[in-house]
């Protein structure tokens, strides 16, 4: 079987319209489709893969089944210039959770505060070679990854996005 491309990423958020406005402004693209019914409100944003932001309605199918299941955590956006991307986000009223962190050879990353992005945890990723791993493959640097992950948790280790989405 050939590798499967990513089709879309779905985020369940408190307000799909607010999330679509904030993410659309950051991505420079408005939603390309809208769905409103008793089960859910969906706004689809275009990009390298589609981003669906969903608010559940009164007749929604439960998001989390009775058995534990995996759920997505954040959206990573590839940027050519971390400084320009952070300035653009700041101009839109979005805040970084810290300073960009080197997480591997030629790779810097930072998270945006979900309290400023309508509840969606967004990661900005700058690579020395956009869209490709550095020569010799991608190697994570444990200390950098630890510092990056620390941006998303409070001092008690609680997931940072929970403070904004519950």
């Amino acid at each position: 079987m050939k590798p499967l491309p990513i089709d879309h990423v779905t985020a369940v958020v408190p307000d799909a319209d607010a999330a679509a406005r904030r993410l659309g402004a950051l991505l420079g693209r408005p939603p390309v489709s809208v769905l409103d019914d008793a089960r859910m409100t969906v706004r689809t944003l275009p990009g390298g893969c589609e981003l669906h932001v969903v608010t559940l309605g009164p007749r929604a199918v439960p998001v989390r089944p009775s058995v534990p299941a995996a759920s997505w955590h954040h959206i990573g956006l590839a940027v050519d210039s971390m400084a320009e991307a952070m300035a653009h986000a700041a101009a839109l009223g979005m805040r970084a959770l810290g300073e960009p962190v080197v997480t591997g050879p030629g790779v810097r990353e930072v998270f945006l505060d979900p309290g400023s992005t309508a509840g969606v945890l967004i990661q900005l990723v700058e690579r020395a070679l956009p869209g490709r791993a550095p020569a010799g493959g991608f190697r994570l640097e444990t200390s950098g990854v630890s510092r990056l992950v620390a941006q998303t948790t409070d001092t008690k280790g609680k997931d940072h996005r929970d403070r904004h989405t519950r």
Side-chain angles (χ1 to χ4, degrees), residues 78-80 126-133:
V79 302
D80 291 331
E126 177 189 62
R127 296 182 187 276
L129 301 170
R132 295 181 33 210

Side-chain angles (χ1 to χ4, degrees), residues 10-31 41-45 51-55 72 75 92 94 114-122 165:
T10 300
V12 177
V13 297
D15 184 338
D17 288 317
R21 278 191 305 275
R22 302 297 286 162
L23 293 169
L26 182 64
L27 296 170
R29 304 175 190 106
T41 299
V42 180
R43 302 294 179 261
T44 300
L45 296 148
L51 170 60
H52 303 172
V53 288
V54 177
T55 300
W72 77 286
I75 299 166
L92 295 169
M94 298 177 189
S116 68
T117 62
V120 178
L121 185 60
I122 297 172
T165 59

Side-chain angles (χ1 to χ4, degrees), residues 36-41 56-60:
D36 292 301
D37 71 19
R39 292 176 298 128
M40 67 184 104
T41 299
L56 299 177
R59 292 187 16 227

Side-chain angles (χ1 to χ4, degrees), residues 9 11 31 34 44 51-52 64 66 69 74 80 106 111 119 133 152 165:
V9 174
V34 172
T44 300
L51 170 60
H52 303 172
R64 296 178 198 248
S66 57
H74 68 273
D80 291 331
F111 282 102
T152 66
T165 59

